[in-house]
């Protein structure tokens, strides 16, 4: 059952959104919004559509966590399709930059999103990159919508939802949001996904399941038993399993490509293994009060805020202080990591089993973190009943998050974005059109 | 004449469905290429070919006699040499003991080739070799033989024969102790030549030459390229940078001189891209599937500590790799683009605690194969004796999120499959590991049942169970068997099958598969495979389920009173 209303957007939002209230099988109502002027429901009859792509991001999932006992549905799905066991997240191994890379196909020096949090030089403050304007290139969501197809976003985390904003033709705004984590539980996400598919049958849906990550962050047994994490894994796996069953039951499986990926992995630290760079930087007379730190869990982004003539000397002092701090793995210039030079002067990584906590030692009390190289390995596999999906294949290819957009784009026959993709089409997973 | 008889006489070698004619070997002692042919260190466009010419009756190995010679070589796409891909000539002479090494370039990647040598109308046996796949190319599967610890005096090399007969190996990795330095022993299955401990250049050359007369070894060299490294016995037992346990100065000369002679003979007689003064550690790449780092853990290592209680095992000034090789290894592992990072590692890197629930006799038996342990945690000749270097390697893997590192190891005359804990403190709960280690057993060299002088798979089963209880990261352990391993590498897994010889003193010994473990891609964990890659159900650890269960009960019972 669907109710439809049309409302004006906010004062600074000239677009008009239509809101669809969809009753779900669980009895809850899911509200979807669609952009006026774009098709809200696939124009093709369900039976005529030959391609549907679902990109399911299990936030923070590690590849070694997929096994036949803990995650039987993901395990089976992976075995059915093409698996990339070498897959890796890209710097900075955080949620926002990697989701943006998935949907744009370009690295952060082009996408504009290098980390979750950065020091915004214009605003003179550290902030989360959660604004639609933070993405500087077109994403698949609006590019596909521009071809008359329907794209959907079902993103459980609030900052993900806001940065992608109204790019998709159909959007679910996550609710209910859990306080502190600012994400909707996977149960709600799954219901919204099913409702969206039922109601609007998008050609592409971009989905983020946040529980595995959010629970993992807080799991105090993460270094040993991972009890909370294991429970979240099982539940999320079941949601994915149910969604796949629905696709099969509705006869959509043969036209579906299901891409499962994580944006980053997760690493747990003991309570005492934290790095706080603020204090040693402040203790340096030439740096005191002149360094802004954007803390991203396993990575600190340091920006010198003092006079420009002092910058080069100051940055070298910052590098030296960071490298002499216990738990620091390495220090990089942003361009080494293909991040925009203006996002920071230095990116500092921690070692496995450590975390950053800035500006104070109590700023980051959570044991589970990511952002550092230890959290780069991710699951990435392409499954589904679509005839182009190669079945039962494992590939040595070094797949990354930035490969999602080129691969999905190829499936839909979209041309690369202006300037070309930074990622690659993962042809290992697909039969060519001629085959 | 059946195939085994053919191998023993050397007149025919059947490899990969192709019979390699071997008129030279059939000629026996009169044949100028009587030490066979070999190839090694394949690259995408080249491979190293090896043989030894005996140009005159007096030009015996180590003699320094015989004149200069020009030896021709040919590489062809077919065993009949109708489609020759490359040919050339190499000069040799007494200064290099008439050994021949030809680095053939300009070959196609991922291609089987046949090769032979010629001299004054005589032709060598035909060998078969394979170039590596092109850098970055997709590779569906590699199969490798993995061997170590082949002591001539302890038995015959039936293990090599079994590997040669498989015909499906792209490469054979020899992890060291290819030959032994000891003098002839009265109870040897077959005595060493020369009969004395090798200490001089002549000795080392003669010993290499003796081993190269073994028909099974010749057959395996002719069947597939090798990637080799040395362990200690190629020079002397428990060698380190400045000496060896089995080296006595001044009676046996200086260590510097002795080691130089051993290395010269090794460079002359092995199909390896190594020349004296150079580096043995090197990396071979097989498309996007494998990077194989072959280590040298003898040339740069600090002296072993006297006993495992010595705090020196944790001294970060002490090294097993040397600084340069450690940097090369860790940077290679953390920047590798290939999926599987295989490490040819002559001594075990897994931490192994020897529990106090072992009795004196059992400890002595273990001491027999790994050196003095005195009932305490370490074998100080392994990475356990150099924990700083080990921590650096494992730390690098963990810090950089490197997956797919598999250490391939020999030395310890026993079969092991272990996980390398990311954090030993939390491993029993988390099970998180950063790499795995697969240890092949000895081709012939003594192990526990030989030292205990008990029938195999009896008392050793209890010892193994005790060690596994104390070391939960050890998933498989067989202290008794002699044999070989076959490693399969695909994008989906790395898998090792362990084979056990029925009788190491029998050149015709049968072999059975006793274990198969796989490392699924992306896990760095081990799981037991129900069948071998040949489709056989292993008689796991060469024992019945009841026997293994009984051994585990005994192991646990030993813990209870404590």
């Amino acid at each position: 059952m669907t109710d439809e209303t049309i409302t004006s957007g906010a004062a600074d939002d000239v677009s008009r959104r239509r809101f669809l209230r969809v009753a779900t099988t669980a009895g809850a109502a899911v509200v979807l919004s669609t952009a006026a002027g774009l098709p809200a429901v696939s124009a093709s009859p369900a039976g005529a559509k030959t391609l549907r792509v679902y990109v399911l991001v299990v936030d923070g999932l590690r590849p070694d966590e997929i096994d036949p006992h803990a995650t039987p549905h993901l395990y089976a799905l992976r075995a059915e399709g093409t698996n990339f066991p070498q897959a890796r997240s890209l710097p900075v191994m955080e949620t926002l930059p990697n989701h943006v890379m998935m949907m744009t196909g370009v690295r952060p020096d082009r996408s504009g999103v290098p980390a979750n949090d950065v020091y915004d030089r214009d605003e003179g403050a550290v902030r989360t990159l959660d604004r639609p304007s933070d993405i500087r290139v077109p994403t698949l969501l609006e590019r596909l919508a521009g071809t008359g197809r329907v794209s959907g976003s079902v993103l459980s985390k609030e900052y993900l939802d806001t940065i992608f904003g109204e790019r998709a033709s159909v959007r679910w705004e996550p609710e209910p949001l859990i306080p502190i984590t600012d994400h909707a539980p996977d149960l709600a996400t799954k219901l919204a996904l099913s409702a969206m598919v039922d109601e609007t049958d998008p050609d592409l849906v971009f989905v983020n399941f946040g529980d595995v990550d959010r629970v993992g962050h807080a799991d105090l047994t993460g270094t040993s038993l991972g009890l909370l994490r294991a429970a979240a894994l099982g539940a999320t796996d079941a949601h994915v399993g149910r969604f796949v069953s629905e696709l099969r039951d509705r006869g959509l499986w043969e036209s579906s490509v299901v891409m499962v990926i994580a944006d980053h992995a997760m690493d747990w630290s003991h309570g005492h293994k934290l790095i706080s760079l603020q204090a040693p930087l402040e203790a340096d007379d030439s740096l005191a009060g002149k360094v802004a730190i954007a803390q991203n869990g396993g990575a600190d982004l340091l920006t010198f805020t003092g006079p420009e003539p002092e910058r080069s000397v100051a940055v070298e002092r910052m590098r030296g202080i960071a490298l002499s701090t216990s738990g620091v793995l390495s220090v990089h210039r942003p361009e080494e990591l293909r991040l925009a030079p203006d996002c920071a002067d230095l990116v500092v990584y921690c070692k496995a089993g450590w975390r950053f906590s800035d500006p104070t030692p109590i700023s980051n009390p959570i044991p589970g973190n990511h952002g550092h190289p230890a959290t780069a390995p991710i699951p990435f596999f392409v499954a589904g009943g679509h005839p182009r999906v190669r079945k039962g294949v494992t590939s040595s290819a070094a797949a990354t998050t930035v490969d999602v957009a080129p691969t999905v784009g190829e499936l839909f026959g979209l041309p690369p974005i202006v300037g070309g993709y930074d990622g690659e089409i993962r042809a290992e997973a697909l039969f060519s059109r001629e085959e | 004449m059946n195939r085994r008889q053919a191998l023993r006489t050397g007149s025919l070698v059947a490899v990969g469905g192709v019979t390699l004619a071997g008129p030279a070997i059939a000629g026996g002692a009169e044949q100028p290429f009587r030490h066979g042919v070999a190839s090694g260190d394949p690259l995408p466009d080249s491979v190293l070919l090896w043989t030894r010419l005996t140009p005159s009756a007096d030009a015996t190995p180590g003699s320094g006699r015989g004149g200069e010679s020009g030896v021709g070589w040919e590489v062809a796409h077919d065993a009949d040499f109708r489609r020759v891909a490359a040919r050339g000539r190499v000069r040799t002479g007494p200064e290099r003991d008439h050994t021949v090494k030809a680095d053939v370039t300009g070959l196609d990647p991922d291609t089987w080739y046949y090769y032979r040598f010629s001299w004054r109308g005589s032709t060598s046996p035909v060998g078969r070799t394979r170039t590596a796949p092109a850098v970055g190319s997709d590779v569906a599967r590699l199969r490798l033989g993995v061997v170590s610890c082949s002591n001539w005096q302890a038995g015959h090399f039936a293990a090599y024969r079994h590997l040669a007969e498989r015909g499906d190996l792209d490469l054979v990795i020899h992890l060291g102790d290819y030959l032994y330095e000891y003098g002839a022993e009265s109870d040897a299955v077959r005595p060493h030549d020369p009969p004395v401990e090798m200490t001089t250049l002549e000795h080392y050359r003669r010993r290499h030459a003796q081993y190269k007369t073994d028909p099974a070894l010749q057959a395996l060299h002719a069947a597939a390229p090798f990637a080799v490294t040395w362990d200690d016995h190629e020079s002397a037992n428990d060698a380190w940078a400045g000496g060896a346990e089995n080296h006595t100065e001044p009676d046996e000369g200086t260590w510097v001189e002795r080691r130089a002679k051993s290395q010269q003979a090794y460079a002359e007689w092995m199909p390896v891209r190594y020349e004296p003064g150079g580096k043995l550690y090197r990396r071979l790449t097989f498309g996007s599937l494998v990077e194989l780092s072959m280590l040298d853990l003898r040339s740069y290592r600090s002296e072993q500590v006297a006993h495992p209680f010595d705090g020196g095992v944790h001294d970060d000034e002490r090294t097993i790799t040397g600084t340069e090789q450690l940097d090369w290894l860790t940077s290679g592992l953390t920047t590798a683009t290939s999926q599987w990072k295989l490490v040819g590692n002559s001594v075990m890197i897994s931490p192994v605690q020897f529990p106090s629930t072992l009795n004196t006799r059992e400890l002595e038996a273990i001491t027999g194969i790994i050196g003095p342990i005195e009932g305490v945690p370490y074998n100080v000749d392994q990475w356990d004796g150099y924990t700083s270097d080990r921590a650096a390697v494992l730390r690098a893997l963990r810090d950089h999120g490197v997956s797919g590192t598999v250490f391939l190891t020999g030395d310890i005359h026993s079969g092991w499959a272990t996980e390398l804990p990311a954090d030993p403190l939390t491993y029993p709960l988390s099970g998180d590991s950063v790499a795995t280690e697969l240890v092949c057993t000895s081709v012939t060299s003594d192990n526990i049942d030989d030292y205990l002088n008990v029938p195999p798979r009896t008392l050793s089963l209890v010892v193994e169970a005790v060690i596994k209880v104390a070391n939960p990261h050890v998933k498989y352990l067989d202290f008794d068997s002699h044999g070989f391993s076959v490693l399969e590498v695909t994008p989906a897994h790395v898998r090792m099958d362990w084979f056990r010889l029925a009788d190491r003193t029998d050149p015709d010994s049968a072999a059975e598969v006793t274990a198969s473990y796989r490392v699924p891609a992306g896990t760095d964990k081990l799981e037991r495979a129900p069948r071998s890659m040949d489709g056989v159900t292993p008689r796991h650890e060469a024992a019945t389920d009841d026997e293994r269960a009984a051994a585990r009960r005994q192991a646990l019972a030993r813990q209870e009173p404590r």
Side-chain angles (χ1 to χ4, degrees):
Chain A
M1 188 177 71
T2 306
D3 295 328
E4 184 171 323
T5 57
I6 301 177
T7 66
S8 296
D12 60 346
D13 180 1
V14 296
S15 72
R16 285 162 57 83
R17 305 286 297 179
R18 290 179 295 171
F19 288 86
L20 308 175
R21 182 177 297 276
V22 184
T24 69
T25 53
V30 168
V31 176
L32 309 175
S33 66
T34 66
L38 287 176
V41 178
S42 182
S44 308
K49 188 178 282 190
T50 58
L51 174 63
R52 297 169 171 86
V53 177
Y54 307 100
V55 177
L56 309 182
V57 183
V58 182
D59 205 306
L61 181 64
R62 301 186 343 179
D64 61 346
E65 288 176 318
I66 298 178
D67 72 42
H69 310 295
T71 58
H73 299 98
L74 288 167
Y75 185 81
L77 199 58
R78 188 178 69 180
E80 283 179 23
T82 299
N83 181 28
F84 295 97
Q86 275 229 92
R88 291 176 82 84
S89 169
L90 290 171
V92 171
M93 282 62 85
E94 289 278 286
T95 297
L96 291 172
N98 278 283
H99 279 80
V100 171
M101 279 188 266
M102 289 178 207
M103 283 296 105
T104 60
V106 300
R107 299 290 291 267
D109 53 5
R110 295 172 64 196
S111 77
V113 183
N116 282 2
D117 291 352
V118 300
Y119 175 74
D120 186 321
R121 297 185 194 216
D122 293 336
E123 298 186 11
V126 172
R127 71 171 180 90
T128 300
L129 292 171
D130 56 1
R131 303 171 188 167
S133 59
D134 288 327
I135 303 178
R136 297 175 188 162
V137 294
T139 75
L140 271 183
L141 299 173
E142 69 266 30
R143 292 174 62 217
L144 198 70
T147 67
R149 297 183 182 88
V150 176
S151 62
S153 60
V154 180
L155 303 169
S156 74
K157 293 178 164 178
E158 186 173 35
Y159 59 30
L160 264 178
D161 176 64
T162 55
I163 192 173
F164 282 100
E166 298 180 357
R167 286 181 164 84
S169 347
V170 190
R171 171 191 184 187
W172 171 67
E173 294 182 52
E175 65 169 1
L177 286 177
I178 299 172
I180 300 176
T181 68
D182 287 335
H183 90 291
D186 286 355
L187 173 61
T189 307
K190 157 64 181 57
L191 289 173
L193 170 61
S194 296
M196 182 181 287
V197 172
D198 278 348
E199 204 62 33
T200 67
D201 190 18
D203 298 85
L204 166 69
V205 190
F206 185 39
V207 186
N208 169 276
F209 288 107
D211 280 357
V212 170
D213 175 75
R214 288 310 196 201
V215 170
H217 277 302
D219 193 344
L220 292 171
T221 64
T223 57
S224 53
L225 294 171
L227 295 172
L228 296 175
R229 172 82 163 186
L233 280 171
T236 303
D237 178 73
H239 293 313
V240 172
R242 276 191 284 275
F243 177 63
V244 168
S245 293
E246 289 166 10
L247 292 178
R248 293 186 201 273
D249 293 345
R250 291 190 56 199
L252 304 181
W253 185 247
E254 302 309 317
S255 59
S256 294
V257 176
V258 179
M259 200 174 284
V260 178
I261 189 169
D263 47 351
H264 51 72
M266 183 70 77
D267 178 46
W268 285 271
S269 54
H270 293 286
H272 63 288
K273 289 200 167 177
L274 61 85
I275 306 160
S276 194
L277 292 178
Q278 180 82 11
L281 292 169
E282 285 298 314
D284 186 293
D285 289 343
S286 64
L287 299 175
K290 300 176 187 171
V291 181
I293 303 178
Q295 188 248 118
N296 282 264
D300 256 3
L301 275 61
L302 310 184
T303 303
F304 181 70
T305 58
E308 192 59 33
E310 297 177 16
R311 182 178 302 276
S312 61
V313 172
V315 167
E316 286 315 299
R317 293 186 72 83
M318 291 154 59
R319 179 191 297 275
I321 289 170
L323 284 173
S324 64
T325 303
S326 293
V328 167
L329 175 66
S330 55
V331 180
H332 305 269
R333 298 289 300 190
E335 46 272 39
E336 294 171 27
L337 307 177
R338 290 215 54 187
L339 312 180
D342 63 352
C343 76
D345 287 305
L346 295 174
V347 178
V348 186
Y349 283 142
C350 71
K351 295 179 177 179
W354 289 75
R355 68 181 183 277
F356 287 101
S357 182
D358 277 306
T360 75
I362 58 169
S363 299
N364 180 14
I366 58 176
N369 284 278
H370 46 81
H372 45 312
T375 59
I378 51 169
F380 185 176
F381 55 89
V382 181
H386 193 278
R388 289 200 63 195
V389 175
R390 289 183 188 268
K391 312 292 193 296
V393 173
T394 305
S395 170
S396 297
T400 65
T401 47
V402 79
D403 297 340
V404 170
T407 306
V408 174
E410 198 278 338
L411 280 165
F412 284 111
L414 289 181
I417 67 167
V418 174
Y421 290 122
D422 293 329
E424 294 182 30
I425 298 169
R426 294 275 53 110
E428 301 86 354
L430 305 175
F431 290 107
S432 67
R433 295 177 193 282
E434 290 73 34
E435 284 180 275
Chain B
M1 182 184 292
N2 64 29
R3 192 161 57 168
R4 288 180 186 168
Q5 290 169 325
L7 279 166
R8 280 209 307 285
T9 61
S11 61
L12 293 168
V13 180
V15 172
V18 175
T19 300
L20 305 179
I25 298 181
E30 300 306 311
Q31 221 286 337
F33 296 103
R34 65 193 63 160
H35 296 96
V37 299
S39 66
D41 287 352
L43 305 177
D45 64 346
S46 69
V47 67
L48 190 77
L49 306 182
W50 177 94
T51 192
R52 198 263 181 183
L53 177 72
T54 303
S56 55
D58 64 339
T60 55
S63 67
R65 293 189 292 269
E68 293 275 323
S69 309
V71 176
W73 55 263
E74 282 182 298
V75 174
H77 291 281
D78 60 306
D80 297 326
F81 290 82
R82 293 195 181 94
R83 290 192 300 134
V84 173
R87 55 166 58 96
R89 289 183 73 78
V90 178
R91 291 208 65 78
T92 188
E95 76 285 353
R96 57 173 302 117
D97 210 16
H98 303 283
T99 58
V100 174
K101 284 164 92 168
D103 192 354
V104 179
T105 59
L107 301 177
D108 294 331
D110 203 19
T111 303
W112 282 109
Y113 287 101
Y114 297 84
Y115 63 93
R116 65 186 178 188
F117 297 89
S118 58
W119 178 75
R120 292 189 181 177
S122 295
T123 306
S124 76
V126 174
R128 196 175 76 135
T129 192
R130 184 173 180 83
T131 49
V135 174
S137 62
D138 292 338
V139 180
R141 190 187 82 178
L142 285 177
R143 279 212 179 148
L144 298 81
V146 184
V147 284
S148 72
C149 305
S150 38
N151 186 345
W152 176 279
Q153 299 198 111
H156 289 275
F157 296 157
Y160 291 155
R161 178 172 55 75
H162 282 283
L163 286 171
E165 290 178 349
R166 290 186 63 89
D168 64 349
L169 302 180
D170 299 290
L171 182 76
V172 174
I173 298 177
H174 202 299
L175 294 161
D177 295 346
Y178 181 95
L179 77 175
Y180 281 70
E181 80 273 26
Y182 301 119
E185 293 163 353
S186 58
D187 58 349
V189 175
R190 46 182 182 167
H192 265 152
D193 176 80
V196 297
E197 179 180 327
M198 53 183 187
T199 56
T200 69
L201 182 58
E202 179 191 356
H203 295 159
Y204 283 106
R205 284 170 162 174
R206 278 178 61 178
R207 188 66 54 79
H208 272 282
Q210 182 190 33
Y211 277 61
K212 284 285 197 306
T213 63
D214 184 278
L217 183 149
Q218 287 192 1
L220 185 55
H221 271 305
F226 272 48
V228 301
T229 189
W230 57 47
D231 195 30
D232 50 344
H233 291 289
E234 283 85 352
S235 53
N237 184 50
D238 282 358
W240 58 284
E245 179 274 332
N246 192 25
H247 176 71
T248 307
E249 295 189 10
D251 301 0
E252 294 174 324
T254 69
W255 175 248
V256 171
E257 289 176 357
R258 182 177 177 182
R259 187 177 71 172
K261 302 307 182 194
S262 75
Q263 293 178 345
Q264 181 180 338
Y266 191 86
E268 291 168 352
W269 281 84
M270 297 297 287
V272 59
R273 295 180 194 277
Y274 164 78
E275 294 301 322
K279 295 186 178 75
L280 183 65
Y281 64 85
R282 64 206 184 280
R283 190 165 287 129
L284 301 170
T285 300
F286 299 83
S288 61
L289 187 64
V290 168
E291 288 185 22
L292 170 63
S293 300
M294 296 297 292
L295 301 185
D296 173 1
L297 298 182
R298 293 294 169 183
S299 298
Y300 317 102
R301 72 155 74 192
S302 309
E303 185 173 11
Q304 296 85 347
V305 296
H307 58 78
F309 287 130
D310 190 323
V313 297
H314 305 304
D315 181 354
D316 61 11
E317 295 295 314
R318 296 180 61 259
T319 179
I320 189 170
T321 58
T323 304
E324 189 177 330
Q325 184 176 203
L326 185 64
D327 291 345
W328 170 85
L329 176 62
T330 55
S331 65
L333 292 173
T334 56
T335 61
T337 55
S338 296
Q339 180 185 357
W340 295 101
K341 279 65 73 174
L342 306 184
V343 182
N345 174 48
S346 63
V347 296
M348 270 186 82
I349 191 167
S350 298
V352 180
Q353 303 248 348
F354 287 93
S356 53
T357 50
L358 289 169
N359 65 36
T360 306
R361 181 183 176 219
E362 292 159 351
L363 284 166
E364 285 175 351
I366 296 173
T367 304
I369 59 172
I370 66 171
I373 58 171
E374 300 176 11
V376 287
Y378 322 105
N379 170 7
V380 294
D381 189 52
Q382 300 184 161
W383 290 74
D384 264 333
Y386 304 85
T387 61
S388 177
D389 279 359
R390 177 171 63 198
V393 174
L394 302 187
R395 186 83 229 175
L397 296 179
R398 189 176 171 211
D399 284 341
H400 291 272
V402 177
S403 176
T405 304
V406 182
F407 292 88
L408 304 173
T409 307
D411 173 62
I412 195 166
H413 309 180
S414 42
W416 303 63
T418 68
E419 295 174 354
L420 283 158
D423 181 344
L425 290 176
T426 59
Y427 174 84
L429 293 173
S430 72
D432 283 351
S433 52
V434 292
T436 50
E437 180 166 33
L438 306 173
V439 185
C440 68
T441 192
S442 64
V443 169
T444 57
S445 303
D446 286 353
N447 45 28
I448 290 282
D449 60 327
D450 305 314
Y451 284 101
L452 288 170
N453 198 24
V454 296
R457 316 318 292 141
T458 55
L459 184 54
S460 304
L461 281 172
V462 179
V463 176
E464 291 158 13
V466 166
I467 289 174
K468 283 192 278 192
V469 166
N471 298 272
H473 56 288
V474 176
K475 307 301 180 186
Y476 166 68
L477 173 54
D478 176 352
F479 261 140
D480 286 343
S481 300
H482 305 281
F484 58 95
S485 288
V486 177
L487 189 82
E488 179 178 82
V489 190
T490 73
H493 67 212
V494 163
R495 167 181 185 155
M496 180 173 275
D497 288 358
W498 283 260
F499 289 83
R500 170 179 185 269
L501 295 174
D503 180 359
R504 63 176 166 156
T505 67
D506 177 7
D508 285 337
S509 174
E512 66 166 334
V513 64
T514 56
S516 182
Y517 278 82
R518 61 192 294 268
V519 185
T523 68
D524 296 314
K525 292 174 185 154
L526 288 161
E527 63 180 37
R528 192 199 291 187
R531 293 183 195 281
S532 75
M533 60 187 82
D534 298 329
V536 176
T537 301
R539 191 163 67 94
H540 191 67
E541 299 182 9
T544 66
D545 290 345
D546 289 345
E547 288 168 338
R548 286 197 307 279
R552 181 170 169 80
R553 281 196 299 274
Q554 287 191 52
L556 293 172
R558 291 188 186 192
Q559 284 193 318
E560 286 168 1
R562 306 183 69 82

